[in-house]
Every structure is written in C-alpha cells, then in structure tokens.
Amino acid sequence: MKKMNSFMSIIAMTLICSTTFGCEPKNKKTGKEIIYAQAMNPVTTVNNTVKIALLLDTSNSMDGLINQAKAQLWDIVNKFTHAKCGNEAKPNLQIALYQYGNDNLSSKEGYIQQVLNFSGDLDEISEKLFSLTTNGGEEYCGEVIQTSLKQLEWGSNKDNLKLIFIAGNEPFTQGKLNYEDAVTNAKEKDVIVNTIFCGNYEQGINSKWKKGATLTGGEYIAIDHNRKVVHIDTPYDDVIIKLNSKLNTTYISYGSLGKAKQEMQYMQDSNAMEMEEAVAVKRAVSKSSRMYNNKKWDLVDAADDSSFEVSKIKKEDLPTELKDKSATEIKSYINEKKEERIKIQKEIQELNKKRNSYIAKNQKENAKGELENAMLNAIKKQAEKKNYKWE
C-alpha cells in the first residue's frame, strides 16, 4: 500500500469534483417553487447547484498541496452526496480549477490559467488535477481571484452557494491588482472567498490571507501542506476495488465521446490506485453515488433522462455489440446493465458504511489532519446560511 499526502486541504478548496448546488425555496402555502424576476432575465427558475472554484498555487514549493488535492477530491464528492436543500432536493456540485504562480504560464496573463471551467464531470475534474505540475513563479492572489470572477459563469441567483478556495504560501498582497478590490468584487457577486495558507498561522495573518477571507465572510485556514497522513487499511478495501472493476463493465459507451470518455474513466481509476489503494476506494464510492453521472457518453445514465429515445440514436453512434440490434433489444440490454449497476453500487455503499465504522474505531485522534475537518466545517457553515443540511 503506497503512502501519500492525504490532507483534505485542497480539495476542500477545490472542490474545494458531482455538479451545481443551491436551495430552491418554496411557497409555504402551495409548496411550489418560487420563481424570481431578475434584472437581465425576466423569469428564472432556481437551480440546486453549488459552484466551487479551486485556485491552486503551482509554484515550486506546492507539490504537497497538489497531491492533497488529487487524493482528497473523492472525500469532498462523497460528503456532498449526503447534502440536502431545505426543500429536501439533492444538490448538484460543479467545480472549476485554476492554477497560478507557475513560470510555465504566460506572464501576460499574470501567470494564471483556467485549467477547467465549471464542470460536474468527476473524471474530467480528476484528469485536470492530475495534469498539474509545479514550477517557480510569481503568485498574484488578487489577480487570480479577479480572473475567476470574470471568466466563470457564477450566476445571479442569491440562493445558490458560490465558493472560492484559494491556496498558496506567498503574501496575499503580491501583484498589481489590490486583493481588497478582488474580494470586494467577489462579495458583490455573492461569492465567498476561503483562504488556505500553506505555512504558519500567524504568518498567514501577517501576509493578509486571513483578511482576504474575512472581507467576504469566508474562512481562513493555515495548514502544513507537506504533512503526510497515513490511511487506515480496512478489511473491505479489496472487495470494493474489485466491485469497482465490475461496475465499469456496466457502462455502454456511445456517440463521439464514448470511447475517449470510457478510456478516461479507466485512466482515473488507475491514477487513484497509483496514489494509494485508499484513494481508489474513495473514488469507487463516489462512482457508486448519484454524483457520478455520465449521460453524455453512457447509455445507462442517458436512459434515465426523460427526453432520451433509443430510436433517435444513429447506428454509427452505437457500440459494436448493439449496431445490429432492434430498439427493443437495445432497451432490454440497457435495462439489464442498469439492474447490474444498481446492485453493484448498493454493495459498494453497504461495504463503505462498514468501512467508515472500522476507520472510526481505529483512527487516532486528529489523524485526519486539521485541514480535512476545518474545510468541511467551513463548507457546512456557509451552506447552512443557504438552507442546506446534511444527512
């Protein structure tokens, strides 16, 4: 079993990535969703979506931070699986990813790059995290916050939860753009900025990381980004990993994206396993939840959409084993795979409950590290203000 940097640090910041999150209020008398009139759009319905932008420092000293983000993505996703809005609706989750402070990035762009726009595609989020590498550079916190506010579609719905998690270890004041202007802009957009300083707590305060968070009502956290946390092996890990392999056989790729997306699924399984078996287990648990949806390339997930019609799929877009089948035969095949998937997912979820109980009994105090608990507490605290709750 390989060891890894398992701090929840970044991924809490990331994702601080299933998709979009916000509570839909309802009329107390009728129980119907309230529709709001907004400036640019006369009538807009509310979405149950949470949007999280992760802004990660990828300068030379941040390898530990990046590894934590890779490892802890699945912890965040699995936590959101149990989130509910005030109207009992299950929220979605969308994650965007930026890197900054890397010499390989354009100086004209302030050494800042959007790695991923808001996405609920968990395999894509994982792939982008694993693509990050570090190199020395200039870290401009105000600039990367402002860039994410300008480039991303945050929306104007006040009921949605919108969070930025920015992590780094240089003064928050670097760069031509005043960080106070950037966070003021965030507050105007109803975006909460949470800051993670990789270093001494007091040093982070003195270099304005705490003020950068408090100006928007966000949380300031200082972490040791190079601290290693050893995962606890459980008797259920190997079984869950084997079930994950079976789960992959229930996917029916179709369309122009099908083959490439299925290969990406396998690659991200491999990336998780390469880090540590415990990370692969957490990913498998995420794949057994509602957060892992691949309707754009998988016929089983696509068939759950009310607008889906087998007859509308072109033969050339079907996998080889279905090209010569009738619509009825294709539906039967999809249903067969769906039933198989539900059974496997249920087994994984049941085993994960036993796994969590085992870990709770055998884990030493503070073994998770201060960041994991602190980040989740920050998210829950801010989500409660938007009428979210956790099962």
Side-chain angles (χ1 to χ4, degrees):
M1 190 90 138
K2 299 178 181 176
K3 290 187 178 179
M4 66 153 209
N5 294 328
S6 97
F7 241 89
M8 179 162 243
S9 78
I10 286 277
I11 230 151
M13 353 172 304
T14 292
L15 151 227
I16 61 318
C17 47
S18 90
T19 322
T20 316
F21 196 127
C23 282
E24 299 181 356
K26 298 207 174 191
N27 185 296
K28 293 183 179 179
K29 293 183 179 180
T30 65
K32 294 181 178 179
E33 294 171 6
I34 299 173
I35 297 178
Y36 293 87
Q38 299 184 2
M40 299 302 291
N41 302 303
V43 179
T44 306
T45 55
V46 237
N47 293 321
N48 290 330
T49 302
V50 96
K51 295 185 177 183
I52 298 176
L54 300 177
L55 317 181
L56 306 184
D57 178 352
T58 57
S59 61
N60 271 338
S61 56
M62 292 291 103
D63 292 281
L65 180 69
I66 303 308
N67 283 337
Q68 290 172 30
K70 295 173 183 176
Q72 297 302 318
L73 168 65
W74 310 111
D75 290 282
I76 298 299
V77 171
N78 292 335
K79 178 59 67 173
F80 281 147
T81 300
H82 304 290
K84 280 186 175 182
C85 288
N87 61 3
E88 299 301 309
K90 294 281 191 177
N92 293 319
L93 170 68
Q94 287 187 344
I95 294 173
L97 179 63
Y98 280 78
Q99 64 168 322
Y100 73 102
N102 190 314
D103 275 347
N104 291 328
L105 305 177
S106 170
S107 59
K108 294 181 180 179
E109 301 296 329
Y111 301 102
I112 294 166
Q113 180 189 42
Q114 181 188 98
V115 181
L116 179 66
N117 205 332
F118 280 131
S119 173
D121 186 330
L122 297 184
D123 288 336
E124 182 179 38
I125 296 168
S126 177
E127 180 188 52
K128 297 303 182 183
L129 278 172
F130 274 88
S131 73
L132 297 179
T133 56
T134 59
N135 194 23
E138 301 294 331
E139 295 99 307
Y140 303 145
C141 295
E143 189 70 35
V144 70
I145 290 172
Q146 182 73 358
T147 299
S148 70
L149 292 169
K150 289 169 59 178
Q151 291 182 347
L152 297 172
E153 181 52 57
W154 291 95
S156 56
N157 181 4
K158 293 293 183 181
D159 293 299
N160 281 350
L161 181 61
K162 294 170 279 189
L163 308 174
I164 284 175
F165 284 86
I166 177 170
N169 69 344
E170 292 294 327
F172 212 69
T173 53
Q174 288 188 162
K176 294 180 180 179
L177 179 66
N178 189 317
Y179 78 91
E180 292 190 22
D181 293 334
V183 297
T184 297
N185 188 18
K187 190 171 184 178
E188 290 174 351
K189 291 178 176 288
D190 196 33
V191 178
I192 300 173
V193 177
N194 299 283
T195 62
I196 300 173
F197 180 68
C198 300
N200 177 268
Y201 187 86
E202 292 299 326
Q203 184 183 352
I205 293 177
N206 294 335
S207 55
K208 303 303 180 183
W209 280 79
K210 183 175 182 180
K211 188 174 182 181
T214 55
L215 285 174
T216 67
E219 298 291 316
Y220 162 66
I221 301 162
I223 65 166
D224 175 2
H225 58 295
N226 290 318
R227 176 183 174 185
K228 293 184 178 180
V229 179
V230 179
H231 287 293
I232 294 177
D233 297 339
T234 81
Y236 313 102
D237 295 353
D238 288 343
V239 183
I240 291 175
I241 289 173
K242 289 177 181 178
L243 285 171
N244 179 66
S245 296
K246 289 184 178 180
L247 185 63
N248 286 346
T249 66
T250 69
Y251 284 83
I252 312 170
S253 63
Y254 77 100
S256 58
L257 296 174
K259 185 177 180 181
K261 284 291 188 178
Q262 196 158 40
E263 289 177 356
M264 182 188 292
Q265 181 186 63
Y266 296 144
M267 180 57 69
Q268 298 320 305
D269 281 353
S270 177
N271 281 339
M273 181 64 82
E274 183 67 22
M275 292 205 74
E276 190 169 351
E277 285 186 16
V279 178
V281 171
K282 292 174 184 179
R283 172 172 160 81
V285 173
S286 294
K287 288 170 65 178
S288 71
S289 76
R290 66 179 180 83
M291 306 297 280
Y292 191 71
N293 188 291
N294 297 290
K295 64 181 182 180
K296 291 183 178 180
W297 64 268
D298 166 52
L299 284 176
V300 176
D301 283 340
D304 285 335
D305 194 311
S306 58
S307 63
F308 175 79
E309 290 184 29
V310 170
S311 59
K312 289 186 177 181
I313 299 178
K314 298 178 181 178
K315 273 197 172 185
E316 56 266 31
D317 288 335
L318 290 170
T320 304
E321 65 268 26
L322 296 181
K323 287 187 184 296
D324 297 323
K325 303 292 184 181
S326 66
T328 301
E329 289 174 321
I330 294 174
K331 287 181 182 178
S332 177
Y333 186 78
I334 292 174
N335 288 334
E336 179 183 322
K337 290 295 183 181
K338 181 178 181 179
E339 289 177 6
E340 185 180 351
R341 182 179 301 177
I342 290 173
K343 180 181 178 182
I344 295 171
Q345 289 176 327
K346 185 178 180 181
E347 287 184 69
I348 291 175
Q349 289 291 329
E350 290 175 348
L351 287 169
N352 188 53
K353 289 179 182 178
K354 296 178 180 179
R355 175 178 174 272
N356 287 336
S357 296
Y358 183 94
I359 291 173
K361 291 178 182 178
N362 292 277
Q363 192 165 51
K364 295 180 181 179
E365 188 177 356
N366 296 325
K368 290 183 178 179
E370 71 273 20
L371 178 64
E372 180 170 352
N373 289 328
M375 286 308 304
L376 288 176
N377 287 339
I379 292 173
K380 291 178 71 173
K381 179 180 177 181
Q382 290 157 20
E384 284 172 2
K385 294 179 181 179
K386 297 288 185 177
N387 205 24
Y388 289 99
K389 59 184 179 181
W390 307 80
E391 295 175 341

